[in-house]
């Protein structure tokens, strides 16, 4: 109920009343039984409500019948989330994805919007159904628009693919932030990158994927991507429509699963995120690595915080969890080191750089991670370096006179 009212308030709705309804067996016509429909009608009238939000998926028939019974607009969970997404989308890609999801959702609900054509009749003495011709025209227009949107989104996916290939030429590892909506992903993103992405205590405050480059310990650069928040029973239409965006998660070298550890529903929220992650295939040849980030430890009571920190410390030994407060900065350094440990899997190589070849050392510091440095008596630099295979290939082409040797 807390989440449902949060979704409603995210649309700036004034919530006048709320009620949990137990359903033994769904009624095909109205979802609720006849007695409960009448009882809720009285509640709607008493609250002078203009809209009723049902935190479940309604069939078009159920939605139409409930609107007649309650004399108010009825919005189901999918429609509510789509409306929020429609308001929050800022980029062209985000708007395309939301529009596609909305059209897929509305396609089966056209009959609700064409009652003004009930008196329409077919020609040559035959009788047509209410609004039959107009509905068919509208369905065709929607189908055509869906085809066009899918083509545009396919172009978006192709462009993203090209961008990913360009990024792979500059071998920076990618880290994707995922998590339940309002778990603090954008706040953590801002803390890690020094950005100012919108971060509010609001469900689905940010939708569009944002990427920034950060420097990890030992100077290694990495790309961090802030993605759309997940939610329980995320509409299938949205998962399908946002596939171009969610591909960033599948391509990531590391996924940071940000959890609101202070929420009483943190375990259930984590399970919902994992359910959505299973629908996003990992890129070919990549092993999915997930690090849980237990956020908002600053909101925990002292005794609970000590318990959570102890559990996170044990799990951090195997690279499974880190406890942080994105708001205060507590634990962020430990998180940076944990990220480095999970993506820093290239073998070490040994290089001897002549004293007069300063540009070589500068190139290695820019494109790799120098883990050890020693100056020989003759002034030469002996460096221990980690290089991505693509960067190592470039180094060998640029500086064939400085052969690398395997590290220990």
């Amino acid at each position: 109920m807390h989440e449902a009212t949060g979704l409603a308030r995210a649309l700036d709705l004034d919530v006048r009343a709320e009620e949990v309804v137990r359903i033994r067996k769904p009624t095909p016509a109205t979802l609720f039984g006849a007695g409960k429909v009448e009882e809720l009608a009285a509640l709607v009238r008493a609250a002078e409500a203009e809209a009723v939000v049902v935190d479940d998926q309604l069939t078009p028939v159920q939605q139409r019948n409930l609107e007649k019974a309650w004399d108010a607009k009825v919005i189901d969970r999918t429609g509510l989330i789509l409306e929020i997404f429609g308001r929050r989308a800022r980029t062209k890609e985000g708007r395309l994805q939301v529009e596609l999801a909305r059209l897929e959702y509305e396609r089966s609900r056209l009959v609700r919007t064409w009652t003004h054509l009930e008196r329409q009749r077919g020609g040559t003495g035959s009788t047509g159904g209410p609004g039959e011709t107009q509905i068919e025209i509208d369905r065709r227009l929607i189908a055509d628009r869906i085809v066009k949107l899918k083509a545009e989104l396919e172009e978006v996916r192709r462009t993203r693919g090209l961008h990913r290939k360009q990024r792979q030429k500059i071998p920076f590892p990618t880290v994707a932030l995922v998590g339940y909506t309002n778990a603090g992903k954008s706040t953590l993103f801002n803390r890690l990158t020094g950005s100012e992405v919108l971060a509010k205590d609001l469900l689905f405050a940010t939708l569009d994927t944002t990427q920034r480059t950060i420097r990890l310990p030992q100077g290694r650069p990495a790309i961090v991507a802030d993605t759309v928040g997940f939610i329980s029973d995320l509409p299938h239409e949205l998962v399908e429509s946002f596939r171009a965006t969610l591909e960033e998660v599948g391509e990531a070298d590391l996924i940071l699963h940000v959890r609101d550890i202070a929420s009483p529903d943190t375990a259930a929220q984590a399970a919902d995120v994992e359910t959505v992650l299973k629908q996003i295939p990992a890129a070919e040849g990549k092993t999915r690595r997930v690090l849980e980030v237990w956020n908002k430890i600053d909101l925990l009571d002292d005794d609970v915080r000590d318990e959570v920190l102890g559990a996170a410390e044990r799990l951090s030994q195997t690279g499974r969890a880190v406890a942080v407060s994105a708001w205060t900065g507590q634990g962020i350094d430990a998180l940076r080191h944990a990220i480095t440990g999970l993506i820093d899997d290239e073998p070490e190589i040994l290089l001897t750089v002549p004293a007069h070849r300063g540009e070589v050392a500068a190139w290695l510091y820019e494109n790799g991670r120098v883990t050890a440095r020693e100056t020989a008596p003759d002034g030469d630099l002996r460096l221990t370096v980690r290089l991505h295979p693509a960067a190592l290939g470039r180094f060998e082409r640029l500086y064939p006179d400085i052969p690398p040797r395997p590290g220990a």
Side-chain angles (χ1 to χ4, degrees), residues 57-277:
Q57 280 195 298
L58 297 174
T59 67
V61 171
Q62 289 171 343
Q63 193 170 359
R64 184 174 71 250
N65 290 340
L66 289 175
E67 286 185 342
K68 287 181 179 178
W70 296 340
D71 193 24
K73 181 175 177 60
V74 173
I75 309 169
D76 70 353
R77 182 182 180 83
T78 301
L80 187 66
I81 294 174
L82 285 172
E83 188 67 32
I84 295 171
F85 272 49
R87 289 195 184 189
R88 300 279 191 273
R90 292 289 177 267
T91 64
K92 179 184 177 183
E93 177 190 351
R95 289 193 292 268
L96 285 174
Q97 292 175 132
V98 171
E99 185 182 355
L100 176 59
R102 178 175 290 282
L103 289 175
E104 294 279 11
Y105 170 73
E106 288 288 351
R107 181 157 52 174
S108 63
R109 286 167 160 74
L110 286 176
V111 66
R112 297 176 53 244
T113 58
W114 295 104
T115 53
H116 64 286
L117 298 173
E118 284 180 354
R119 291 186 180 86
Q120 183 170 319
R121 292 288 182 269
T124 65
S126 62
T127 303
E132 183 179 20
T133 305
Q134 183 62 55
I135 288 175
E136 289 304 318
I137 291 172
D138 209 62
R139 281 190 180 135
R140 187 171 66 253
L141 290 173
I142 284 186
D144 291 345
R145 179 63 179 157
I146 286 173
V147 170
K148 184 178 178 183
L149 285 172
K150 286 183 175 179
E152 290 186 51
L153 283 172
E154 192 58 41
E155 182 64 20
V156 168
R157 292 178 68 178
R158 192 186 69 81
T159 303
R160 277 187 179 274
L162 292 174
H163 288 169
R164 276 194 292 270
K165 285 181 180 178
Q166 288 297 113
R167 289 201 300 268
Q168 287 164 5
K169 291 178 182 177
I170 306 172
F172 293 177
T174 54
V175 180
L177 299 180
V178 303
Y180 209 79
T181 182
N182 210 28
K185 294 185 304 304
S186 295
T187 305
L188 179 62
F189 180 84
N190 290 341
R191 176 68 66 173
L192 285 171
T193 65
S195 302
E196 295 184 357
V197 170
L198 175 66
K200 294 179 67 178
D201 183 15
L202 188 70
L203 299 181
F204 297 120
T206 51
L207 280 189
D208 300 309
T209 300
T210 308
Q211 297 181 334
R212 295 287 186 275
T213 303
I214 63 169
R215 288 276 175 180
L216 294 171
Q218 298 180 341
R220 182 175 197 186
I223 296 171
V224 179
D226 183 20
T227 63
V228 62
F230 300 159
I231 199 169
S232 62
D233 301 323
L234 189 66
H236 175 73
E237 294 92 343
L238 279 176
V239 176
E240 284 297 311
S241 299
F242 274 72
R243 190 162 297 281
T245 297
L246 296 176
E247 277 181 358
E248 294 292 338
V249 177
E251 293 281 346
D253 295 287
L254 176 65
I255 296 173
L256 298 187
H257 176 186
V258 184
R259 291 177 55 180
D260 177 359
I261 206 66
S263 169
D265 299 321
T266 183
Q269 291 175 357
D272 289 327
V273 171
E274 288 161 8
T275 298
V276 178
L277 281 177

Side-chain angles (χ1 to χ4, degrees), residues 275-333:
T275 298
V276 178
L277 281 177
K278 288 176 183 175
Q279 300 179 49
I280 307 168
E284 186 176 350
K286 283 199 175 181
T287 302
R288 176 163 288 171
R289 287 178 285 188
V290 180
L291 172 66
E292 287 196 357
V293 182
W294 295 356
N295 190 27
K296 303 190 183 183
I297 56 174
D298 55 302
L299 300 181
L300 297 171
D301 295 332
D302 291 342
D303 53 340
V304 179
R305 185 185 303 119
D306 292 340
E307 185 180 334
V308 167
L309 289 173
E313 180 64 29
R314 291 190 295 273
L315 290 172
S316 67
Q317 305 303 318
T318 54
R320 292 165 57 195
V322 177
V324 306
S325 168
W327 183 254
T328 66
Q330 182 181 353
I332 296 299
D333 286 341

